[in-house]
Every structure is written in C-alpha cells, then in structure tokens.
Amino acid sequence: MRPVIFLVLAFTSVYAVSLNTFWDESDTKRLSKVLENVLETRHDNIAALHYAASGLKLLNVAPSAATAKKVCEIARKADLTNLEVLYHASALSGDLTDCALTSIAGAQVNKAAFDKLLTTAMKDDSPSNLAWVFNAAALLDKAQGAKYFDKIKNLVSQADEVGKRFLQFDGGLTTTSNAIHGIMSLAEQQGKVPAITKDQLLLFTNYLLSRKHVSTEKSAFHLLSALGVLVNNHQLVPVVASLRGSVMFNRMKPIVIAVCNVFGLPVAVSDVRVDIIPQGQTSPVVGNLRLTQSQAYVALLAFVGV
C-alpha cells in the first residue's frame, strides 16, 4: 500500500488553528476593482465611500491620488452635525492620506459616560447588539473593558452551526463579521484568549472565507475587518497548513508543507513533523519525521522533508 502523509505543526507565538483555504491575490484584485469603482462613482453616498476606502486600506491598496483628493473633499464638506455622517467622514479622514477634518480636531470622548451607555445597551443580548457593544467597548480602557470581555461566551453560545462546516450568527455576514471583530478586539485589549474554542474559531473563519466573493462595499468592509483582526492579534490566529503535491509519499521527492494566515502571508512556525502512514492502517511506518525550512518558497512559509 502507498503511504499517506499526516502532519503536526508547532507554532512559535500565538495559539493557532488550521484552515482549509485563504484569501489570495486574485481575491484582492477582484475586490479592489469593485471598491475603487465605488470611490469614483458614489460621491452622493458618504457611507459607501467610507466602506470602500476602509476596504481598500485593509487590502493594502491605495486609491489614485486624484480619487483620494476628491473623496477627501466630500468628507470635509459633509454635515458633521449629523452623527452618522460624522462617523463616516471621520473614518474617511483616517483612511485617506492627508485628509484631516479640522472641525473635529482635538475632540474628546467622555469614556465614563460612554461606558455607562454601553452597560445599558448590553441588556439587549442579541448577537447583532452584543457585536456592536463589544466593538465599542474595545475603545475603552482595559479596566473598563474587562466586564464586557467576560460576556463573550454569551455571544459565542448563540452562534448557529451549519453542516459541521461553519459557525455564523443570525444576521449573516454583517453580524458574524462584527462579532468576530468585537471579540478579537476585546481579547487584544485585555491581553487574554477569549472564550471561544479552536474549533469554533475555525468554523467562524471558514464561514467568513466562504463569503470572500462579496460584491458590495459594505459587505467587503465588514468581511475584511473581521479577517484583518484574525491576522493582527496576539491571542488566536487561524492558519492554513497545506501539503504541496501528492498526499502519497514518494522517496524520490521532497515533502513540502506551506503555512500561511488567512491573507496568504507567512506564519512563524517553530517545528513541523510528519507521520507517514500506509493507507488503510493506523500505525506510521515513519513517525515524527522533522522537516527543514525551505528557502525556495518566498510567498508562503514552506518546509521540505527529505
């Protein structure tokens, strides 16, 4: 019988879980075109401009200088007495280069009053509301945010499992993305692993990645915000560990394993070991085979076993 390869990976810093797929360059190219078109054509909708500009920033794609200047002018001329407009204009100011809004410079938030407002809002424990509360609470001081962090398990318990493949909340992509962003942002603020298991995070992330073909700026913004926080945190980072080539062992060819995060970027791995098990059996013919790092793969972290 032909031996089949199984692998075990050890990660250096964060508590990592493994996925089956990731966001690749073709996804970035496709979605960036959609978002750039919004910036060029939707000048009557400041919310759409905000979502598009933020989405491009999350993709690390810069709009043209002319487009950015035009959108910034729209933000500066917006009616900032309207709180919703102020929110979107402020976001645009942060996403675009040299786009400060002088009328709100130096503005401060009364965090005590804000905390009190969020405490009251938390009485509504629906997933959509808790998701927004957690995102807002992540902006508070660590001491103030602690009581919200303790409620994460309440939110996670309300998730629905779909076909043993995904976890999501009522409200679909927007609520699920907001929830993951809020959970991980609070976890980062508190410096603690949130009340979510590895398997749960895996299923949530697989759901998010299954929605990567979104076509609207708002959906793209929420999706990319959630995926971004899954990369940029020190608590839980989902990774993709994939075998390059056949799962069948061939003594004449190296074993190549690639490891990356949800955006296809390298992940620090301290050790990769492989068990080689004949098909139909449970005991390895070669066990705990250590793989050495390859210098040939620059896009993904890869290992080659000989």
Side-chain angles (χ1 to χ4, degrees), residues 258-279:
V259 183
C260 65
N261 64 26
V262 294
F263 280 124
L265 301 174
V267 173
V269 180
S270 60
D271 196 18
V272 175
R273 296 173 184 269
V274 168
D275 287 342
I276 301 176
I277 302 174
Q279 194 170 21

Side-chain angles (χ1 to χ4, degrees), residues 120-166:
T120 301
M122 199 163 49
K123 293 178 181 178
D124 175 0
D125 64 353
S126 65
S128 60
N129 187 66
L130 286 180
W132 286 112
V133 168
F134 290 167
N135 276 284
L139 303 175
L140 296 171
D141 297 330
K142 182 177 180 179
Q144 292 174 311
K147 62 184 175 184
Y148 302 98
F149 180 81
D150 293 338
K151 300 295 183 181
I152 287 176
K153 60 184 177 182
N154 185 15
L155 174 57
V156 174
S157 69
Q158 298 183 61
D160 298 318
E161 186 171 326
V162 181
K164 297 184 179 180
R165 297 173 58 211
F166 305 133

Side-chain angles (χ1 to χ4, degrees), residues 128 131-132 135 173-183 221-222 226:
S128 60
W132 286 112
N135 276 284
L173 179 60
T174 297
T175 299
T176 304
S177 297
N178 274 344
I180 294 302
H181 190 275
I183 288 169
F221 165 71
H222 288 300

Side-chain angles (χ1 to χ4, degrees), residues 228-242:
V229 80
L230 288 172
V231 171
N232 297 307
N233 79 86
H234 297 84
Q235 311 307 324
L236 288 167
V237 177
V239 300
V240 181
S242 58

Side-chain angles (χ1 to χ4, degrees), residues 45-51 75 83-93 95 101:
N45 190 325
I46 195 169
L49 295 176
H50 158 209
Y51 296 136
L83 288 179
E84 183 176 356
V85 173
L86 175 61
Y87 163 66
H88 294 303
S90 299
L92 282 170
S93 175
D95 291 332
L101 302 182

